[in-house]
Amino acid sequence: MADDDLIEIRVPMIVTADGYWAAMGSHRSAADKDPDWSGIDEMCDYDNPTVNPQRYWITAYVRRPKVGEVPGAAVRDCPQESASE
């Protein structure tokens, strides 16, 4: 597998002292390099302030999906009307 087949994925994550956690990301947040830490913090516990939240990054390398073509044909959705109508 060539190196250009791999994509580095970085997902920001928060873990709290009381065991709550949340992670949120997309290609845009990785490109911005400044994730929405307050939004991730809120996802940890909607009802209460988080306890000693710690910020982390999850980094993974995954294979780039191959783009392919699927053969198909269009099928008319309704029956054809007869010529006598």
Side-chain angles (χ1 to χ4, degrees), residues 5-65:
D5 290 339
L6 292 178
I7 300 171
E8 180 184 84
I9 296 177
R10 296 188 66 212
V11 180
M13 176 179 71
I14 289 179
V15 178
T16 65
D18 53 354
Y20 290 94
W21 64 272
M24 175 175 61
S26 71
H27 70 284
R28 296 204 186 276
S29 64
D32 294 342
K33 304 283 190 232
D34 191 19
D36 181 8
W37 290 111
S38 62
I40 301 168
D41 186 74
E42 185 177 325
M43 288 173 49
C44 284
D45 191 345
Y46 294 110
D47 299 324
N48 303 301
T50 54
V51 178
N52 194 24
Q54 299 295 306
R55 295 176 179 180
Y56 296 93
W57 284 93
I58 301 168
T59 303
Y61 296 90
V62 297
R63 289 184 184 175
R64 182 183 308 269

